[in-house]
Amino acid sequence: MNQVHVQEIECLLVLAEELHFGRTAERLGCSQSRVSQLVAGLERRVGVRLVDRTSRSVALSRFGAQFVEDVRPAYQALSRVIVQARERARSRTLSQLRIGFHGSLYEEVTEAFRRLRIDHDVALVLSEIPLGSPFTALLDGRVDAAVVELPVNEPALTTGFRFPPQDRLLAVAAWHPLAGSGRVHVEELATLDVLHPRGDAPDYWRAARVPHTTPGGAPIRSTTGITTVEEGLALVAAGDHGMLVCRPLTERATRGDVRYLGIDGLDEASQMGLVWRKDRESWQLTTLAGLLDAEFVRSVDATKRIAV
């Protein structure tokens, strides 16, 4: 069976729409003589005249019209297959980063993720990690980086970007005796049962979340662990527990049964970081760190302009 070239089929389909050799050549990006050659070649392969042409007009022959009707669906299907194959091939060449996080992500973070995808063709796979296990998924290789609270003293890990420090506040039930004051002194933490993240986090990290004692040496009781922030807020609202939280969370987790109190005398701020394994540093990770830095600088500048 004679081989039929796809280019010849495409040329005939365009000519069937235009019925003009000049416009067909323009659409195909070739010369009129090339259009004539392609049509003539197809007619030789098929064995019948497909186009009736004179010096003044161009029309499909009866066989040509039927051929176009029969071949167009197959050509369109072939075109779809080629486009889909290109898209699959392109998706496989995209870089990919697996990012873990706990809590919620700032808008600056999601904007940096968007810029990484659009400007650098790096796809993001996001997964929430347990509140009390900030490093396990990283060390096990299940994620490439994690947005977690600092400090990070693990020898295998490095902090690629440090987010701006944020004030820590105390969450208590709306009906709690401390709720009406609006602020508490750090020594009053000793009067509460403060929730702590439950998981396999190292002791130094856990102590940074909930200190063992107040600056004055009074022990801080912490009998209950939580795995998510939402779980902690529910326990705060329903009982006598308190929970230390960062200020951005209070702006995103507003609810009528919980009050957020400033803490006088508490020097340590809350700070997040983008953390990854030292042996798996890549241009994708360092690019993301640079985008985060740019987004937060832009955010600070915008805040200053509003203040002025």
Side-chain angles (χ1 to χ4, degrees):
M1 182 175 64
N2 290 334
Q3 293 181 342
V4 176
H5 295 175
V6 174
Q7 190 178 19
E8 293 172 348
I9 299 292
E10 181 183 29
C11 181
L12 180 64
L13 292 177
V14 174
L15 183 61
E17 295 174 1
E18 297 292 346
L19 296 178
H20 189 281
F21 277 71
R23 290 194 297 270
T24 298
E26 185 177 349
R27 279 182 58 178
L28 295 176
C30 64
S31 65
Q32 291 189 46
S33 60
R34 178 58 177 162
V35 172
S36 297
Q37 292 171 2
L38 291 171
V39 171
L42 182 59
E43 289 177 329
R44 285 195 302 273
R45 297 176 198 281
V46 175
V48 67
R49 190 176 72 256
L50 301 173
V51 179
D52 293 325
R53 44 201 182 276
T54 67
S55 60
R56 294 187 176 183
S57 65
V58 176
L60 295 177
S61 69
R62 180 168 59 86
F63 292 100
Q66 184 63 53
F67 183 86
V68 166
E69 182 179 346
D70 292 340
V71 81
R72 190 186 301 278
Y75 177 82
Q76 291 173 340
L78 178 61
S79 298
R80 286 194 297 270
V81 169
I82 293 173
V83 170
Q84 291 169 357
R86 286 174 179 167
E87 290 176 350
R88 286 195 297 270
R90 184 175 182 274
S91 67
R92 283 197 296 269
T93 63
L94 286 177
S95 300
Q96 187 179 85
L97 276 185
R98 300 165 299 163
I99 306 294
F101 67 96
H102 57 214
S104 60
L105 294 174
Y106 305 146
E107 293 178 7
E108 291 87 351
V109 179
T110 55
E111 177 60 20
F113 288 169
R114 191 178 74 88
R115 293 256 57 92
L116 189 68
R117 173 66 179 84
I118 293 175
D119 297 341
H120 303 279
D121 284 337
V122 179
L124 274 296
V125 178
L126 303 179
S127 58
E128 189 169 4
I129 57 180
L131 190 62
S133 300
F135 311 132
T136 303
L138 262 178
L139 294 172
D140 291 348
R142 286 181 279 127
V143 296
D144 301 306
V147 179
V148 296
E149 284 195 84
L150 303 178
V152 178
N153 297 336
E154 306 304 296
L157 302 179
T158 186
T159 303
F161 175 74
R162 295 175 181 270
F163 294 77
Q166 300 288 344
D167 292 338
R168 302 182 77 188
L169 291 86
L170 176 67
V172 296
W175 48 262
H176 194 280
L178 294 175
S181 62
R183 301 191 65 85
V184 295
H185 192 272
V186 66
E187 294 297 326
E188 292 181 273
L189 295 179
T191 67
L192 298 166
D193 188 352
V194 182
L195 298 171
H196 64 265
R198 181 171 64 245
D200 56 6
D203 290 340
Y204 73 83
W205 190 89
R206 292 164 62 92
R209 307 283 73 71
V210 181
H212 297 306
T213 64
T214 67
I220 297 176
R221 190 161 57 103
S222 182
T223 64
T224 304
I226 57 173
T227 56
T228 67
V229 171
E230 289 301 321
E231 178 187 352
L233 291 174
L235 287 171
V236 166
D240 296 325
H241 294 287
M243 183 169 67
L244 293 170
V245 297
C246 63
R247 184 174 295 280
L249 183 141
T250 68
E251 298 167 353
R252 293 169 170 79
T254 57
R255 46 190 297 168
D257 53 1
V258 174
R259 297 289 182 271
Y260 301 108
L261 313 178
I263 307 174
D264 296 324
L266 183 65
D267 295 330
E268 294 184 3
S270 173
Q271 188 172 27
M272 307 289 287
L274 177 68
V275 180
W276 60 73
R277 278 175 47 168
K278 293 177 180 177
D279 63 347
R280 294 194 177 183
E281 182 168 298
S282 63
W283 70 264
Q284 294 93 335
L285 289 171
T286 55
T287 299
L288 176 57
L291 290 171
L292 287 169
D293 183 61
E295 284 303 320
F296 277 93
V297 168
R298 187 178 298 113
S299 177
V300 170
D301 289 343
T303 302
K304 288 180 179 178
R305 288 195 297 271
I306 292 172
V308 172

